[in-house]
Amino acid sequence: MTSPGDAAPVRPPPSFSPGVPRVASKTRYPDQRRDSSPSLDSDLVDSRIASSPPQPPLSAAAAELPIRSASPHARSIRSSTPQLTRSVLGSPTEGRLDGPDDIRSLIIRSFSPVVGVYASVDTDELVRQKGFQGGFWELIRPFGETIPGKIVIRDSIGSSRGWEDYGVRFVDLGGHTQGSSEPKTPHLTQLEEALEKQLESPDDPLGGLSRPKDLLSFPTTSPLYKSFLRQLLSVPSTTPHETFRHPVASVIIISSRNTSPLETLRQLYADTSNGDRRQPEWVHSEYLRYYVLVHDEDRDDIAESTKLYDQMKRHFGLHCHLLRLRSNQCVVTDDDSCQVPECEWLSPSERLSGRPEPLVDLDTDGLPYLFESDVTAIKAFIRELVAQSVIPYMENRVTIWNDQVASRRRGISGRFMSMSRRWAGFGSGSRTSLIGSGGGASGNYDSVHGFYKPDVPEAILRKMADFAFMLRDWKLAASTYELIRSDYANDKAWKYHAGVHEMSAVSMLLNPLSMPGKAKIDGIDQMVETACYSYLTRCSDASNALRCLSMTVELLKSRGGSGIESAARWAMRAVDLGLVGSIGQALFSERISACYATRNAIHGVKFGSRHRKAGMWSVLAAELWLRLGKPSLASSSLEEAERLYADVLNIDGSFPMTDMQAFIDNLRHAVKVEYLEARGLDTQAEAATTDPLETLETEETREKLDKRQNRKSLIASPMDIGGLNAGQAARDDDNPANDDFERA
């Protein structure tokens, strides 16, 4: 074992851009005071930990265990119609609308800081003995998605706010990271295949013919749509035009089994800095390094590990942690065992690959188990990493870039220099030479390879805006995106141009202080239009275009007012552009219906609502689900349409328009026949007897559905199924029945 005197102290280069001095932030934390210091490391010595009630761990017993950590800053973590399935929509007549906070949190959490993981061979071998074949990265990945307790973040004006849903994304730098190259199968194709696999799965409640009782209570948002949105936002590959997937920090890990620990740490650092684990040239190689020593509780001496840990702090600074784990494998039969949570943010390719098989067949459902002491120690380690190192580092970088780069661009002199450089080539050579060399108007854009170097102002400002967005300072993020939009347009960096318009619109919609006025909605619509045009026409990037439209729809819908109409239009645009497959069309039809369903009548008058238009889209969604062979989902969409059409139905529950009634009756019968055939029953015999679907309905569900008298059943008596073709005719533009749809 190497002692401090045997090897000269080695300090990794500071994680700052070249030519930028290291300064300390002067903002005070809410719970303590910090002295100014010229070093970021010393600035973190007395870093903050928010004191707040922790979130419940995997089991109740885990909360009572002490935290085993030798780190100096460790903290304790202390109706008569039978329903085949439930609609994804809330009933506006009953006040059950979609929960905007849930979808809003999902979008916010999708843009979390990325932390690279690079472990030594001995560490991965220790973790594999515990049943994790992917090594240390697979062990800690699920626990980083939600940090226990509140994470306090300060914004650009110095005010602090605690977040309980904060998390980070761990990516493997040791050989399992998905690269930036395009996959063989397009992302949207994989997304459609993953949704189809989920619907066909017998273990998934959405894939079966019936659903559990707890899912029959009108959930506000469909689990299938949440899965669609989560997979759409879970693209792990890094791209040059945005830095959300660029590593903010990397964790370098060794174990107590290592025979030359300090030399191994130096080699691992060299690999991530300028070795074979170096990031692409458009990713800045200088980011925060965090060093971890994994102590084997079952075989090694804690005294020796503590000495080694002290040496690590003297050689590499205070960004270190001693993690104490057991090397024995935990099984279900152990008293203190708890199941590792499943990763929430899995890409479509990961979901299609399937869940890994357990090493021991003990009905573990493919998920491994850990000792509760290990779970508690891992949570403490991740919280310390994020709260004391990652967040302060990002805050420090935003402060430096804002003072030294952004402030100069916002001033009069910065605008004058930008115009001079753009039109006269002042300070960057002649305009002719720039065009001939392949550069943009600023001379910093490499049009041949399609990226900015990471140390130029355009790339630094984009990284600053992305850091502010991940720190949830959306006001600063929106102003920074606005600052560089014209630069990307002048340089003809179209993917950068599309991305900055997309995130500028999302930042404005997430800002709670931004009022949803009509003029502001129009400005957001213009930015979304520009982003989609650049993504599709200039970059042929359908995946990012769909991501832009999906986030815009949900955030505009949560704003209410005139934003609801705009959200429905953008959802229609996504379907018209062919960005989604057959399952996506059905989901977006339901979301369009959900948008219109949230538009209620003006108080005191009888007009202003869009419930009948919402009912029309719900009927169209039912037809799409039926074509996909999903009668249970089609049944719930029809039931939703009946509630939305309550104002126009006759007293017997029928439609006043003959063509509309014929279309609905045919669709009802087709849904029932499809369901009976899926169950392998005789359709004629069952249709003539008692409805077999009646067993799926409980008294509680019947009371919730039966809100008016003489309500007509969606699964009606059998009739000529050949009349279903009239439903298709109802969608034709030249069919008179379509006018009945619009009037409804």
Side-chain angles (χ1 to χ4, degrees):
M1 184 175 296
T2 306
S3 63
D6 296 333
V10 177
R11 296 276 185 176
S15 303
F16 301 116
S17 302
V20 181
R22 304 173 69 183
V23 299
S25 175
K26 298 181 180 180
T27 306
R28 299 288 186 259
Y29 292 101
D31 55 347
Q32 64 184 43
R33 303 176 64 88
R34 300 191 307 172
D35 297 331
S36 299
S37 170
S39 171
L40 178 61
D41 293 342
S42 59
D43 184 44
L44 296 175
V45 173
D46 295 325
S47 181
R48 57 195 157 82
I49 288 289
S51 57
S52 62
Q55 295 181 353
L58 295 178
S59 63
E64 302 176 358
L65 294 177
I67 301 300
R68 299 179 309 176
S69 175
S71 300
H73 305 294
R75 298 291 188 271
S76 296
I77 302 179
R78 299 282 184 197
S79 173
S80 61
T81 301
Q83 289 300 291
L84 314 183
T85 184
R86 177 40 37 205
S87 170
V88 301
L89 311 177
S91 172
T93 58
E94 299 178 4
R96 295 185 179 91
L97 304 180
D98 288 21
D101 293 339
D102 190 15
I103 299 296
R104 176 189 173 94
S105 175
L106 181 68
I107 295 175
I108 293 173
R109 289 186 293 113
S110 66
F111 297 95
S112 299
V114 170
V115 178
V117 178
Y118 191 26
S120 61
V121 177
D122 54 280
T123 305
D124 284 338
E125 182 63 28
L126 184 150
V127 175
R128 289 190 184 99
Q129 294 179 5
K130 298 177 66 65
F132 296 85
Q133 297 303 311
F136 190 81
W137 165 71
E138 183 183 344
L139 173 66
I140 67 173
R141 181 187 183 187
F143 299 100
E145 296 178 347
T146 302
I147 308 300
K150 286 186 179 180
I151 297 295
V152 179
I153 305 175
R154 66 174 184 267
D155 56 19
S156 57
I157 61 176
S159 60
S160 299
R161 179 176 178 180
W163 300 89
E164 295 184 353
D165 60 343
Y166 204 82
V168 295
R169 303 276 189 88
F170 287 110
V171 297
D172 188 13
L173 302 180
H176 300 279
T177 307
Q178 298 186 14
S180 59
S181 60
E182 294 293 333
K184 296 181 181 180
T185 305
H187 177 65
L188 295 184
T189 303
Q190 291 183 340
L191 177 58
E192 187 75 11
E193 292 176 356
L195 292 175
E196 184 177 359
K197 180 181 178 181
Q198 183 177 354
L199 282 176
E200 297 296 335
S201 174
D203 298 332
D204 194 288
L206 289 172
L209 296 175
S210 61
R211 300 177 65 179
K213 181 179 179 180
D214 58 342
L215 293 180
L216 290 174
S217 56
F218 305 117
T220 55
T221 305
S222 167
L224 182 62
Y225 181 77
K226 286 184 179 180
S227 178
F228 162 80
L229 191 60
R230 190 179 293 110
Q231 293 180 64
L232 179 64
L233 300 175
S234 299
V235 182
S237 59
T238 58
T239 55
H241 75 281
E242 61 183 17
T243 64
F244 291 114
R245 299 297 179 260
H246 297 188
V248 174
S250 67
V251 181
I252 299 176
I253 311 102
I254 62 171
S255 71
S256 55
R257 300 178 180 180
N258 199 294
T259 56
S260 55
L262 296 183
E263 287 76 6
T264 302
L265 287 173
R266 296 191 192 99
Q267 183 60 43
L268 295 177
Y269 171 82
D271 291 343
T272 59
S273 180
N274 50 23
D276 56 351
R277 303 304 177 193
R278 177 185 172 89
Q279 296 294 313
E281 56 181 330
W282 33 264
V283 177
H284 210 297
S285 60
E286 295 183 1
Y287 43 83
L288 179 69
R289 264 70 173 192
Y290 195 89
Y291 302 90
V292 177
L293 172 62
V294 178
H295 168 70
D296 186 355
E297 286 280 271
D298 294 326
R299 293 175 177 83
D300 293 334
D301 185 9
I302 184 60
E304 294 296 328
S305 297
T306 303
K307 292 180 181 179
L308 176 58
Y309 175 69
D310 293 336
Q311 294 181 27
M312 289 172 54
K313 289 190 293 183
R314 287 193 292 267
H315 280 74
F316 301 103
L318 296 176
H319 297 289
C320 299
H321 187 90
L322 175 60
L323 180 61
R324 301 170 62 177
L325 298 176
R326 297 183 60 180
S327 59
N328 294 333
Q329 183 177 357
C330 180
V331 294
V332 186
T333 56
D334 293 332
D335 295 336
D336 58 344
S337 63
C338 55
Q339 194 175 35
V340 176
E342 186 176 6
C343 290
E344 178 184 7
W345 298 100
L346 294 176
S347 63
S349 59
E350 291 176 313
R351 293 184 181 273
L352 289 174
S353 62
R355 185 177 299 171
E357 294 295 332
L359 296 181
V360 181
D361 188 9
L362 292 174
D363 194 19
T364 60
D365 198 23
L367 294 174
Y369 279 72
L370 280 176
F371 298 103
E372 291 186 0
S373 57
D374 291 344
V375 172
T376 308
I378 292 173
K379 288 184 176 181
F381 151 64
I382 295 177
R383 177 171 177 81
E384 181 178 328
L385 165 68
V386 175
Q388 300 185 25
S389 295
V390 173
I391 296 299
Y393 167 75
M394 296 177 66
E395 292 172 347
N396 186 277
R397 300 310 300 150
V398 169
T399 301
I400 292 175
W401 291 331
N402 192 24
D403 293 341
Q404 301 185 5
V405 182
S407 60
R408 296 179 182 178
R409 298 293 297 273
R410 294 189 181 100
I412 298 178
S413 60
R415 296 178 181 272
F416 175 75
M417 292 298 295
S418 178
M419 294 178 59
S420 301
R421 187 169 58 248
R422 185 183 312 162
W423 299 110
F426 178 75
S428 300
S430 65
R431 186 174 181 84
T432 304
S433 62
L434 290 176
I435 298 175
S437 62
S442 65
N444 294 325
Y445 180 65
D446 187 352
S447 59
V448 177
H449 299 90
F451 63 86
Y452 290 94
K453 293 183 179 180
D455 55 350
V456 300
E458 291 83 359
I460 292 176
L461 288 175
R462 174 61 203 245
K463 193 170 186 178
M464 170 190 163
D466 291 347
F467 271 35
F469 191 94
M470 290 186 289
L471 292 174
R472 306 183 180 183
D473 187 356
W474 295 295
K475 182 178 180 181
L476 177 62
S479 63
T480 308
Y481 289 130
E482 175 72 24
L483 189 64
I484 54 178
R485 284 194 301 172
S486 59
D487 293 344
Y488 295 150
N490 296 323
D491 289 341
K492 294 181 173 57
W494 297 124
K495 198 163 233 185
Y496 287 85
H497 181 256
V500 78
H501 277 81
E502 173 192 7
M503 298 313 300
S504 181
V506 172
S507 300
M508 294 179 64
L509 290 173
L510 285 174
N511 187 4
L513 301 179
S514 178
M515 299 301 294
K518 185 65 170 61
K520 184 157 292 188
I521 294 296
D522 292 341
I524 291 175
D525 288 343
Q526 182 61 42
M527 286 187 285
V528 175
E529 179 71 33
T530 303
C532 291
Y533 178 79
S534 295
Y535 275 138
L536 294 174
T537 306
R538 294 162 171 164
C539 306
S540 300
D541 191 346
S543 177
N544 279 326
L546 180 59
R547 183 188 73 171
C548 175
L549 291 176
S550 299
M551 292 191 299
T552 302
V553 168
E554 297 304 325
L555 294 177
L556 282 173
K557 177 178 175 295
S558 66
R559 284 286 184 156
S562 59
I564 295 176
E565 302 283 349
S566 183
R569 288 196 300 269
W570 287 119
M572 296 178 198
R573 175 73 66 86
V575 176
D576 294 339
L577 292 175
L579 299 178
V580 292
S582 55
I583 298 178
Q585 290 179 5
L587 290 175
F588 268 80
S589 297
E590 289 181 336
R591 296 312 291 171
I592 296 171
S593 178
C595 291
Y596 285 129
T598 56
R599 189 66 183 265
N600 296 319
I602 302 176
H603 182 68
V605 296
K606 296 183 179 180
F607 58 86
S609 68
R610 299 291 185 270
H611 292 173
R612 287 178 291 176
K613 187 174 289 188
M616 180 195 71
W617 281 99
S618 187
V619 170
L620 296 179
E623 185 185 13
L624 290 172
W625 285 126
L626 185 61
R627 291 180 181 179
L628 292 172
K630 302 299 176 184
S632 58
L633 297 177
S635 174
S636 64
S637 296
L638 278 174
E639 173 66 19
E640 188 67 26
E642 186 187 42
R643 294 201 308 270
L644 293 168
Y645 274 127
D647 295 337
V648 298
L649 296 181
N650 296 326
I651 190 172
D652 60 346
S654 62
F655 285 90
M657 295 82 72
T658 306
D659 293 337
M660 184 70 174
Q661 185 62 52
F663 174 71
I664 294 295
D665 290 340
N666 291 331
L667 194 57
R668 286 170 178 163
H669 180 62
V671 168
K672 182 176 181 179
V673 171
E674 182 75 20
Y675 179 78
L676 295 175
E677 291 179 350
R679 293 177 61 92
L681 301 176
D682 186 0
T683 57
Q684 295 181 355
E686 293 293 338
T689 58
T690 304
D691 195 342
L693 309 183
E694 197 72 34
T695 57
L696 298 178
E697 185 180 11
T698 62
E699 291 297 333
E700 180 182 0
T701 307
R702 188 177 292 109
E703 292 177 0
K704 292 180 179 179
L705 296 177
D706 205 2
K707 292 299 181 182
R708 60 182 183 274
Q709 296 179 354
N710 300 326
R711 189 168 55 86
K712 190 170 183 178
S713 174
L714 295 186
I715 310 299
S717 300
M719 58 184 300
D720 185 13
I721 193 172
L724 181 62
N725 296 329
Q728 178 63 29
R731 301 190 62 185
D732 297 338
D733 295 336
D734 55 351
N735 195 316
N738 198 30
D739 298 335
D740 295 336
F741 270 84
E742 293 298 334
R743 288 195 302 269

